Amino acid sequence: MTILALTGGVGGAKLSLGLVHILDPHEVTFVVNVGDDFEHLGLSISPDIDTLTYTLAGIVNQSTGWGREEESWDCLAELKRFEADTWFQLGDRDLALHLFRTGLIKSGKSLTEITEIICSRLGIDYKIVPATDASLRTHVLTDQGSLAFQDYFVRLQCKPKVTKLEYHQRIPASVSPAIKIDQISGVVICPSNPFLSIDPILEVDEIRSVLVERAFPVVAVAPIVGDRAIKGPTAKMMRELGMQVTCAGVARHYRDILDGYVIDNTDSHHASEIEALGMRVRTAPSIMHTLEDKIALAGACVDFLDELR
Ligand code: FO1
């Protein structure tokens, strides 16, 4: 039996790092968002998979939370000379991974198989699995029109006003074969952006339906503390979508799939409002600065799952 951790982006990778310090590889599977994936300069790029892979391998750039540590930028500088697209920062070491992945995709391997190969070459014993091997792409509808995810997020730096999210599937996306639905003992939804990181995972029908009809507990960690996102544009997007910008606003968004919700200590005044939605609340320090913070929050999630079982 295994816990699934649903994750995407930098906030998700932080809690995931905490989880690997308290769980063995057979006890947790990381299910990663692929809505951010795109093709750029002819390369297949899977940013959220790479953020988690680099984090668990201990080679992530600590200041950005994505990309490689000890990076160099010679290729990007040459691309600038050709007046190629350089708004998406691809470092030389990171490029090696994209070249490797793109070659394997061209040879017919699935993203699940490729991710497993990359993890094993980087010495990661844990299972990192894309939510689906099919094409599932997040599009952000804004006051500047419909934007592909990375256009919105990186090129336009989340400035356009969001009106709606869409998740485009060429064919109905089926769950990655590496996710064994009948082996799930619990689910942790990491404090990732609900619309950009978690909802695309829940767009995979089998994943959403197993969570709705669950035979195991599901807990989430609030990505909002006070009226601010722990990281990134979550609070701005919630405001633009007309949602209440508090941890309770996110709980309402997830209400069909949650048994438990971890909120920051400073937000304990929201507990009764959240419990009225039909879930239990646990308070914990949820801002993860140090490795100890990540391990403590991961421990609170796993204990909470045990309590709810
Ligand atoms: N995020 C940025 O804000 N700017 C970038 O130039 C950028 C480049 C990049 C390259 C490789 C990679 O794996 C991730 C990268 N990210 C960048 C992060 C990426 O946009 C993610 O989709 C977001 O962090 C959301 O999860």
Side-chain angles (χ1 to χ4, degrees):
M1 298 298 279
T2 183
I3 292 173
L4 293 190
L6 311 191
T7 175
V10 176
K14 284 185 175 181
L15 184 64
S16 300
L17 186 59
L19 287 167
V20 303
H21 279 80
I22 57 169
L23 296 171
D24 288 335
H26 69 275
E27 294 178 309
V28 60
T29 298
F30 297 97
V31 179
V32 187
N33 170 41
V34 293
D36 299 15
D37 291 15
F38 74 135
E39 287 72 44
H40 184 61
L41 302 170
L43 299 172
S44 297
I45 302 180
S46 294
D48 283 359
I49 292 178
D50 295 348
T51 294
L52 183 59
T53 306
Y54 289 153
T55 300
L56 298 195
I59 55 173
V60 77
N61 178 326
Q62 298 285 345
S63 58
T64 55
W66 50 264
R68 282 290 316 265
E69 65 173 5
E70 294 172 8
E71 188 56 284
S72 58
W73 301 94
D74 293 340
C75 182
L76 199 74
E78 290 305 308
L79 285 167
K80 275 197 183 116
R81 192 207 292 253
F82 292 123
E83 298 175 24
D85 269 346
T86 52
W87 54 269
F88 196 77
Q89 308 266 299
L90 292 172
D92 299 329
R93 286 172 187 243
D94 192 28
L95 271 164
L97 175 56
H98 306 311
L99 287 167
F100 184 57
R101 175 190 291 116
T102 305
L104 290 175
I105 283 181
K106 293 215 161 117
S107 77
K109 292 221 182 306
S110 70
L111 190 56
T112 297
E113 291 167 329
I114 295 165
T115 307
E116 195 184 335
I117 294 168
I118 290 170
C119 284
S120 108
R121 306 268 160 97
L122 290 176
I124 298 170
D125 297 330
Y126 288 81
K127 250 166 107 176
I128 298 179
V129 180
T132 179
D133 284 328
S135 164
L136 190 158
R137 299 284 178 268
T138 301
H139 287 254
V140 188
L141 274 53
T142 73
D143 57 353
Q144 296 184 29
S146 173
L147 299 166
F149 174 79
Q150 297 294 351
D151 271 342
Y152 165 77
F153 195 91
V154 176
R155 193 171 63 80
L156 298 173
Q157 296 175 3
C158 309
K159 284 183 187 142
K161 187 175 172 210
V162 178
T163 52
K164 193 176 173 220
L165 279 302
E166 284 181 354
Y167 309 98
H168 294 187
Q169 304 179 26
R170 275 195 215 127
I171 48 161
S174 51
V175 66
S176 160
I179 301 170
K180 304 286 178 232
I181 297 283
D182 57 343
Q183 293 291 306
I184 304 171
S185 60
V187 172
V188 176
I189 300 180
C190 291
S192 303
N193 185 307
F195 319 104
L196 302 180
S197 295
I198 304 299
D199 285 355
I201 299 176
L202 301 174
E203 280 295 302
V204 177
D205 275 347
E206 292 133 293
I207 299 183
R208 180 180 287 279
S209 57
V210 80
L211 262 64
V212 171
E213 296 153 17
R214 59 198 174 274
F216 45 77
V218 179
V219 303
V221 178
I224 297 278
V225 175
D227 61 356
R228 300 176 64 170
I230 293 178
K231 194 171 189 317
T234 308
K236 175 182 179 285
M237 294 179 79
M238 288 176 76
R239 216 167 287 121
E240 291 167 354
L241 292 168
M243 294 169 65
Q244 171 197 347
V245 187
T246 64
C247 58
V250 178
R252 200 162 285 115
H253 182 72
Y254 286 144
R255 66 188 302 171
D256 291 348
I257 55 167
L258 287 193
D259 301 297
Y261 193 51
V262 181
I263 62 175
D264 192 70
N265 286 337
T266 58
D267 274 333
S268 56
H269 54 286
H270 288 291
S272 54
E273 180 188 352
I274 297 165
E275 278 164 352
L277 297 169
M279 59 188 82
R280 300 244 314 266
V281 172
R282 158 85 49 110
T283 57
S286 70
I287 299 179
M288 296 173 278
H289 294 300
T290 64
L291 178 60
E292 288 68 33
D293 297 339
K294 293 167 195 160
I295 295 171
L297 186 58
C301 293
V302 172
D303 289 350
F304 201 10
L305 282 179
D306 283 343
E307 249 179 67
L308 292 165
R309 228 168 249 133

